[in-house]
């Protein structure tokens, strides 16, 4: 038995699929393949499947991943990819399947592309964003199921790129991710909406990479 990591994209309409529904989608896709996947034992057998860093509802992902256990060590990785793609909806595409190398604890960063569109114009969006980033601190409250945590976002945000359009602003951002600290871009956008006195007309968030501590891709 071998632990296999599947890398996939989740784009366009698939961004509206919740994590629970994504798991169900993958489970049903496996059921329509001939992949020798391992099921848990006990009264309710199900496919062993774990997602190292689930993507939030409403976000797109270029290279997401999940793990499953393969019963036949010699089963071709290309067949895993092709058979799953034949069973999945078009907005979810398997890119690659390979033996898992890293433990989930290796994840430390995630890169995002955030696109903002507003009738106020790209220059106004840029001014609002740069005003927020110029603050010495950006205090927010991060809420989880079990507690609330006060955070200062300013030292946690790395801006990699900024592109201003006529009515848009595109940001490439690097944020902490993984078990130790996982910063959802929604927290940062919430602080921006508060600073500018309202939300942008349209927002698109795309997770472009999941990285180790040394900024190399999670594998």
């Amino acid at each position: 038995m071998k632990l296999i990591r599947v890398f996939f994209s989740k784009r366009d309409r698939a961004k509206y699929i919740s994590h629970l529904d994504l798991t169900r989608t993958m489970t049903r896709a496996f059921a329509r393949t001939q992949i020798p996947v391992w099921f848990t034992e006990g009264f309710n057998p199900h496919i062993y499947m774990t997602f190292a860093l689930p993507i939030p509802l409403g976000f797109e992902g270029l290279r997401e991943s999940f793990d499953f256990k393969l019963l036949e060590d010699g089963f071709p990785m290309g067949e895993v990819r092709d058979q799953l793609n034949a069973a999945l909806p078009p907005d979810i595409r398997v890119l690659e399947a390979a033996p898992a190398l890293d433990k989930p604890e290796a994840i430390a960063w995630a890169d995002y592309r955030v696109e903002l569109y507003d009738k106020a114009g790209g220059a106004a969006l840029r001014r609002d964003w740069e005003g927020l980033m110029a603050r010495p601190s950006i205090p927010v409250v991060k809420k989880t199921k079990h507690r609330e945590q006060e955070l200062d976002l300013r030292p946690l945000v790395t801006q990699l790129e900024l592109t201003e359009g006529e009515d848009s602003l595109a940001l490439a951002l690097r944020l902490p991710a993984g078990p130790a600290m996982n910063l959802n871009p929604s927290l940062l956008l919430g602080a921006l909406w508060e600073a500018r006195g309202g939300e942008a007309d349209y927002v698109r968030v795309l997770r472009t990479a999941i990285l180790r501590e040394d900024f190399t891709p999670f594998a």
Side-chain angles (χ1 to χ4, degrees), residues 122-133:
L125 287 168
R126 180 171 187 163
R127 184 170 58 249
D128 294 337
W129 168 257
E130 290 181 341
L132 180 67
M133 289 295 100

Side-chain angles (χ1 to χ4, degrees), residues 72-194:
E72 296 178 11
D73 289 354
F75 194 82
M77 295 295 97
E79 278 297 304
V80 174
R81 178 197 61 218
D82 294 345
Q83 290 194 35
L84 282 175
N85 277 336
L88 285 167
D91 293 339
I92 300 175
R93 294 288 87 190
V94 172
L95 309 172
E96 179 188 0
L101 298 180
D102 297 325
K103 293 183 178 180
E105 292 77 13
I107 296 173
W109 308 98
D111 287 353
Y112 295 88
R113 177 178 173 85
V114 179
E115 299 175 1
L116 310 176
Y117 299 85
D118 196 89
K119 58 182 175 293
L125 287 168
R126 180 171 187 163
R127 184 170 58 249
D128 294 337
W129 168 257
E130 290 181 341
L132 180 67
M133 289 295 100
R135 295 181 178 182
S137 65
I138 307 174
V140 299
V141 176
K142 179 181 180 181
K143 297 180 180 180
T144 67
K145 291 181 180 180
H146 306 291
R147 63 176 183 141
E148 294 185 354
Q149 180 184 7
E150 294 184 359
L151 292 176
D152 179 8
L153 296 183
R154 187 61 197 90
L156 302 177
V157 178
T158 301
Q159 179 181 304
L160 303 175
E161 188 179 332
L162 180 150
T163 306
E164 177 188 326
E166 182 179 350
D167 61 352
S168 64
L169 187 70
L171 302 162
L173 304 174
R174 179 165 291 161
L175 305 177
M181 165 65 73
N182 188 31
L183 180 55
N184 190 320
S186 296
L187 276 176
L188 183 59
L189 290 173
L192 179 60
W193 306 151
E194 184 176 352

